[in-house]
Amino acid sequence: MLKIIHKKAQYTLLLTALLFAGSKIQAQNNDSSLPRLIEKNGRHAFWVDGKPFLMLGGQAHNSSAWPALMPGVWKSAEIMHLNTLEVPLYWEQIEPEPGKFNFSLVDTLLTQARQHNVHLVLLWFGTWKNGSNHYIPEWMKRDAEKYPNITGKTGKPIDSPSPHPKATLDADIKAFSAVMRYLKKADAQHTVIMVQVENEPGSWDTVRDYSAKAQKLFEADVPAELLKPAILKALNVPATSKGSWLQVFGDRADEHFQAWSIARFIEQVAAAGKAEYPLPLYVNVALRDPLTNPPATHYESGGATDNVIPIWKAAAPSIDLLAPDIYLSGSERVLKVIDLYSRADNTLFVPEAGLIADNAKYFYDVLAHGGIGFSPFGIDDNGDSSNDEHLAERLAPFAQEYEMAAPMMRELAQWAFEDKIKAVVEHEDGTEQTIKLGAWDAVIKFGNGRGGELKPNKEHNGKAMIITLDENKFIMTGTNCRVTFPPAGSATGKAWQYLKVEEGQYDHGVFKSLRILNGDETDWGGPAIGDKPRVLHISLVVR
């Protein structure tokens, strides 16, 4: 693989050919200019405009994509230094009458995004939105017999769409295909770089559909696609299992059946859309607790939660990635989720995270896992201008990270793909952490002050990210931390010092030094970074 020198922006056709030789392109198409996901040796990259791309994202509130609300959305996007806006498309607006499509909202979003020089990720609010079907058109809502919801275990109607009616599937396929067909015609410059299919699909208040049609399918044999030994092993089932859902999956049968049913529905919608316009497609996930293996009665059943990822991968190959929405609390849970969704067969992308200051630190861990983007949810004022006074304050923890990352966005995407990024985030106990860097250890202490005893961070929002340029040279950024670099390996215990520590920024792929740090800025327990991230270029030497 061709090594990219950090001092030059060398994104030529030759680099492209060398870098991705032997890579797997997930979104197959004949248009080399289309956005695409690429996998090599279990690492992932998002290729946009002919270069690696990192989504510095933000998602609008559910009802903010209407033209009257978009000025507030763009205001927030500017404050945050976004390069990607996630925004809904509403089926009820797109197809107000059967077969009659209105793409005026799409046109508005495309025009305004281009004016603001921001890419779009469109969110198809179709059959599912957070487990319900509230965004289907009125003409579907009025015909409950043709487009039924789920029947619960006791016969109670559930406010969630059934994945089994062909009429619902056909209608969604027709509408989503029309959207993708229109995008291909209206967006030749690829303002839209990715599309989300549905929104947090699954069901609340019931593990699955218990209607007569669903029950008949449940009592039939498990599809052959799921009976492959590797899949059964991943689902903790004997590799020779066969028979009905209950016979194969036991007490998890209801949930596994629901996951398969929803994933197969969405696969058919996604495949039809890709046949029209092969943009990368993903499904977002309402998470379960990743540490306790709770039953599906405790979370949205049927979505691509960590325990049923193998089912979704088998059932929905046209979905390029499964993306976790992070609203869990506690660093142990969040870091576990990031690890679970960072897989050789799954590109890591966090399309939603709660808009709280503590979540900004997980942007670093997503990069360290080779992720392609991060996006807090609800960045705009949601139509309430009285919130404007506090808007910048709420967005600040994310805005300052994006402001730091934006000038080096392409480099960060490249380094993430090449596994050159390591990161730590402060845990609730505030203890120091160590990053292994080959010939060096980076010891990160969280807090502010000089020397060994630092003033603790009240919000536990410290973090550090280190990029390896070569054996003795690193890029570092972070907040509310100090770092020192004792030698490791054969040099353990030897004397060492900073050869040079420079503070600066990237400009068109080149690190521009603003000053050299020394004396008080490096001698009291190593270089320190406060509330606002800074970019440091650090060179080390063993004496």
Side-chain angles (χ1 to χ4, degrees):
M1 182 178 291
L2 184 67
K3 183 177 181 181
I4 295 182
I5 308 300
H6 72 282
K7 293 182 178 180
K8 296 181 180 179
Q10 298 180 352
Y11 292 112
T12 62
L13 291 176
L14 175 61
L15 173 59
T16 304
L18 289 171
L19 182 61
F20 294 106
S23 298
K24 178 182 177 183
I25 299 174
Q26 289 177 243
Q28 295 289 347
N29 57 76
N30 296 321
D31 183 353
S32 60
S33 68
L34 271 178
R36 61 189 61 210
L37 295 166
I38 295 172
E39 182 273 329
K40 187 173 184 180
N41 299 326
R43 305 293 293 186
H44 303 270
F46 190 25
W47 204 245
V48 176
D49 300 326
K51 304 172 186 178
F53 187 82
L54 173 64
M55 287 183 280
L56 307 176
Q59 185 172 145
H61 278 102
N62 292 167
S63 301
S64 293
W66 299 97
L69 276 293
M70 285 305 296
V73 175
W74 292 120
K75 178 180 178 180
S76 294
E78 184 176 351
I79 291 172
M80 287 189 67
H81 306 277
L82 299 185
N83 64 19
T84 306
L85 175 68
E86 298 176 22
V87 64
L89 289 183
Y90 313 120
W91 189 359
E92 62 183 348
Q93 185 274 334
I94 293 287
E95 192 181 7
E97 298 180 49
K100 294 183 179 180
F101 297 100
N102 178 356
F103 295 113
S104 60
L105 180 58
V106 176
D107 290 335
T108 297
L109 294 173
L110 291 174
T111 299
Q112 293 185 3
R114 292 164 187 164
Q115 291 170 346
H116 289 84
N117 195 30
V118 168
H119 281 292
L120 294 174
V121 171
L122 297 180
L123 318 176
W124 175 238
F125 284 10
T127 298
W128 280 274
K129 167 64 175 76
N130 295 69
S132 298
N133 59 358
H134 298 168
Y135 282 88
I136 63 174
E138 291 181 17
W139 51 268
M140 293 180 69
K141 292 176 181 176
R142 291 193 179 101
D143 196 345
E145 184 175 350
K146 186 175 182 179
Y147 309 106
N149 280 355
I150 282 176
T151 299
K153 194 170 187 178
T154 63
K156 172 187 174 183
I158 302 295
D159 183 22
S160 185
S162 172
H164 304 295
K166 188 175 186 300
T168 307
L169 173 62
D170 289 345
D172 203 338
I173 287 175
K174 184 177 180 180
F176 186 68
S177 297
V179 168
M180 298 302 284
R181 190 182 311 120
Y182 186 79
L183 279 179
K184 182 178 182 180
K185 181 180 74 171
D187 190 28
Q189 63 199 76
H190 310 313
T191 300
V192 177
I193 55 177
M194 191 178 286
V195 177
Q196 176 183 292
V197 189
E198 315 298 343
N199 188 89
E200 292 189 356
S203 59
W204 297 97
D205 300 322
T206 185
V207 178
R208 67 171 175 92
D209 187 1
Y210 291 87
S211 66
K213 182 175 183 178
Q215 189 63 29
K216 184 177 180 180
L217 293 169
F218 179 75
E219 293 171 359
D221 287 347
V222 173
E225 294 95 325
L226 282 186
L227 296 179
K228 297 177 180 178
I231 295 176
L232 293 175
K233 181 179 179 181
L235 295 170
N236 299 311
V237 171
T240 57
S241 298
K242 59 182 179 179
S244 69
W245 289 89
L246 189 59
Q247 289 171 328
V248 174
F249 296 115
D251 61 1
R252 288 284 181 174
D254 288 338
E255 180 188 10
H256 288 11
F257 172 72
Q258 178 76 336
W260 171 265
S261 301
I262 293 175
R264 287 303 293 171
F265 182 110
I266 292 176
E267 162 60 20
Q268 294 173 79
V269 175
K274 265 192 175 174
E276 298 290 346
Y277 186 37
L279 284 177
L281 305 177
Y282 74 96
V283 170
N284 64 330
V285 185
L287 300 173
R288 68 178 197 147
D289 188 325
L291 303 177
T292 60
N293 192 31
T297 51
H298 287 60
Y299 52 89
E300 189 177 24
S301 178
T305 48
D306 63 270
N307 58 317
V308 294
I309 289 176
I311 294 176
W312 271 81
K313 289 294 179 180
S318 296
I319 295 298
D320 296 292
L321 63 97
L322 305 172
D325 289 348
I326 295 180
Y327 295 96
L328 298 173
S329 60
S331 59
E332 184 181 8
R333 285 185 175 84
V334 175
L335 294 174
K336 182 64 174 178
V337 165
I338 291 171
D339 187 58
L340 287 168
Y341 284 85
S342 175
R343 301 162 44 117
D345 66 351
N346 195 69
T347 308
L348 178 62
F349 171 42
V350 177
E352 293 185 34
L355 192 67
I356 57 174
D358 191 54
N359 279 345
K361 65 187 180 184
Y362 299 116
F363 172 54
Y364 285 23
D365 199 63
V366 168
L367 280 172
H369 279 77
I372 63 169
F374 189 88
S375 176
F377 170 80
I379 65 171
D380 58 288
D381 63 16
N382 203 15
D384 183 359
S385 59
S386 65
N387 291 328
D388 283 357
E389 180 181 349
H390 304 291
L391 185 63
E393 180 182 346
R394 290 192 300 113
L395 298 177
F398 301 90
Q400 65 182 19
E401 297 301 335
Y402 288 1
E403 184 179 16
M404 173 275 297
M408 53 197 292
M409 177 272 290
R410 299 285 187 181
E411 286 72 33
L412 286 168
Q414 185 67 51
W415 292 327
F417 182 53
E418 295 179 341
D419 198 15
K420 292 185 176 181
I421 300 178
K422 307 296 180 186
V424 293
V425 302
E426 185 177 6
H427 296 180
E428 286 72 16
D429 60 9
T431 56
E432 70 177 51
Q433 298 180 50
T434 299
I435 297 176
K436 298 293 184 180
L437 298 169
W440 303 90
D441 286 343
V443 178
I444 292 94
K445 294 184 177 182
F446 300 105
N448 290 276
R450 291 184 172 188
E453 294 298 325
L454 302 181
K455 183 179 179 181
N457 298 321
K458 291 183 179 180
E459 304 300 327
H460 301 297
N461 56 0
K463 56 187 178 295
M465 177 168 60
I466 298 176
I467 298 103
T468 299
L469 301 178
D470 65 28
E471 184 178 10
N472 302 309
K473 292 183 179 180
F474 307 92
I475 293 290
M476 179 197 166
T477 188
T479 58
N480 296 312
C481 68
R482 281 187 175 272
V483 62
T484 188
F485 292 86
S490 60
T492 299
K494 291 186 177 181
W496 69 282
Q497 67 183 111
Y498 297 103
L499 195 62
K500 185 185 290 186
V501 179
E502 298 173 273
E503 180 182 346
Q505 61 190 26
Y506 270 77
D507 182 14
H508 294 89
V510 180
F511 180 79
K512 301 286 188 179
S513 179
L514 299 177
R515 62 172 175 164
I516 295 176
L517 301 181
N518 211 329
D520 288 348
E521 282 66 53
T522 59
D523 291 347
W524 295 86
I529 303 179
D531 290 332
K532 187 173 182 179
R534 296 184 293 155
V535 179
L536 307 181
H537 185 292
I538 299 173
S539 300
L540 307 171
V541 64
V542 174
R543 294 296 300 260

